[in-house]
Amino acid sequence: MFKGWGRSRGGLGGLGPSSPSTKAVGDSGEDRALAFLQQQGLRLVQRNYRLAGGPRQRAGEIDLILRTPDGTLVFVEVRSRRETSHGGAAGSVSAAKQRRLVRAAQHYLMGLAVLPPCRFDVVAIDGDQLQWLPGAFDAGGG
């Protein structure tokens, strides 16, 4: 719930020259989350699905889209934090971020002939700790 503390897509993010960029930390977190979820039996459908924003609307991006063995489509938001001093990774998925994820998922689903069961998961990485939150929020949440 800390505005502006989310994973950016570029720049140093206020880090020193020897620290990895915020984007590098985010990409590494996505790699780690994907490997973990695949070990749990989920299959990757798409990575980094992006929806363009409008003049008054921020774009939405879904970090990972996976399918469970029973056919459920899982939209995953990955949040990584090197430290928990500014709040945990899971808590940084704000109501506004949830709305953007739901909007992007709705757009993705419009391209499917048959709508499968769906859910929204969060993978929170705080330092070395990885926490998977299946069904972290629903499409009406926020």
Side-chain angles (χ1 to χ4, degrees):
M1 316 287 179
F2 295 92
K3 281 196 166 195
W5 191 250
R7 178 173 47 96
S8 71
R9 285 290 177 201
L12 290 177
L15 301 175
S18 63
S19 298
S21 71
T22 303
K23 180 182 180 343
V25 170
D27 289 347
S28 172
E30 285 180 18
D31 291 342
R32 190 170 159 206
L34 176 58
F36 173 82
L37 293 170
Q38 287 176 323
Q39 289 172 353
Q40 306 308 308
L42 283 74
R43 184 179 51 84
L44 180 65
V45 174
Q46 188 163 346
R47 188 168 179 166
N48 297 320
Y49 178 80
R50 289 183 176 92
L51 174 65
R56 296 176 188 253
Q57 194 174 26
R58 289 188 61 181
E61 178 186 354
I62 302 168
D63 295 327
L64 303 170
I65 302 174
L66 299 108
R67 193 172 298 275
T68 66
D70 73 0
T72 300
L73 202 58
V74 182
F75 299 100
V76 180
E77 173 66 9
V78 178
R79 289 298 182 136
S80 299
R81 298 284 180 270
R82 285 178 296 274
E83 303 171 2
T84 59
S85 59
H86 291 87
S92 71
V93 184
S94 67
K97 178 62 177 180
Q98 291 176 30
R99 286 190 297 272
R100 286 192 301 275
L101 289 165
V102 168
R103 189 177 327 114
Q106 289 169 332
H107 187 268
Y108 178 84
L109 291 168
M110 287 190 318
L112 301 181
V114 177
L115 295 180
C118 301
R119 74 172 192 243
F120 293 90
D121 291 5
V122 170
V123 173
I125 302 171
D126 291 298
D128 291 333
Q129 254 339 75
L130 183 146
Q131 182 180 20
W132 177 26
L133 304 167
F137 61 93
D138 61 39

